[in-house]
Amino acid sequence: FEEQSGTLAINYAESTEGAELVTNGTFAGVANGTDVITLSGWTAYNSPTSRDIESEKLEIIASGSNQGAILSITTTVGITYKLQYTATGDTGASGIYINNVSGVNTSTETTYFFVAVQATTTIYFRAGVNWIGTTYYDDISVKAITGHGIYDNAPATVISTI
């Protein structure tokens, strides 16, 4: 692993994953056309054209910025978490935004580490680069990462990706 100023270095091989915090992040068995906000942990993020489940994927169709769906996760302040997902369609910088932490580039990152800064972390799933477009999300997972494989060398909250 590589340490850089202002980041957290993670030697993932020496870390331990906690329990899955997302309920059915694969959307298995969810009927087509189901609004994701009817599922546990999800709420509306303004009014996109769609935030429905289609073919067991979350479909975000946005006609402008700041539209999609929000996933709220109970977290512990100061603990590192791993967000994993699959994104297809229109992807790009800030397709996902983690409240008070950082934007995630959905075209290059499928695993993202962050440190919780609140007891509830809200993760915004948006289309493209938070603009007009259609993005499909699947295999959404959030787990706490603990163990001696995490090295804090600065007070940063954004962590490198794998």
Side-chain angles (χ1 to χ4, degrees), residues 8 29 34 41 58 61-62 100 103-104 106 108 113 127 146 148-149:
L8 249 55
T34 300
L58 170 58
I61 301 175
N100 294 317
V104 180
T106 55
T108 60
F113 294 91
T146 59
H148 61 280

Side-chain angles (χ1 to χ4, degrees), residues 129-149:
V129 293
N130 188 27
W131 189 239
I132 298 167
T134 303
T135 304
Y136 296 91
Y137 292 100
D138 196 13
D139 305 317
I140 300 168
S141 171
V142 177
K143 295 179 181 179
I145 303 296
T146 59
H148 61 280

Side-chain angles (χ1 to χ4, degrees), residues 18-120:
E20 179 59 61
L21 300 176
V22 178
T23 302
N24 195 9
T26 63
F27 306 106
V30 179
N32 286 345
T34 300
D35 189 336
V36 74
I37 69 170
T38 65
L39 304 178
S40 178
W42 292 92
T43 57
Y45 181 42
N46 295 321
S47 300
T49 304
S50 174
R51 59 175 172 253
D52 293 343
I53 305 305
E54 296 296 335
S55 300
E56 297 187 341
K57 293 180 171 77
L58 170 58
E59 174 187 64
I60 302 293
I61 301 175
S63 58
S65 63
N66 299 321
Q67 299 176 1
I70 299 170
L71 176 63
S72 296
I73 301 290
T74 300
T75 51
T76 302
V77 174
I79 297 294
T80 301
Y81 291 85
K82 178 178 77 169
L83 165 66
Q84 286 188 294
Y85 60 90
T86 304
T88 57
D90 299 317
T91 59
S94 295
I96 294 175
Y97 177 75
I98 303 170
N99 195 40
N100 294 317
V101 178
S102 179
V104 180
N105 188 331
T106 55
S107 63
T108 60
E109 300 169 312
T110 57
T111 301
Y112 190 82
F113 294 91
F114 65 94
V115 175
V117 296
Q118 295 177 322
T120 299

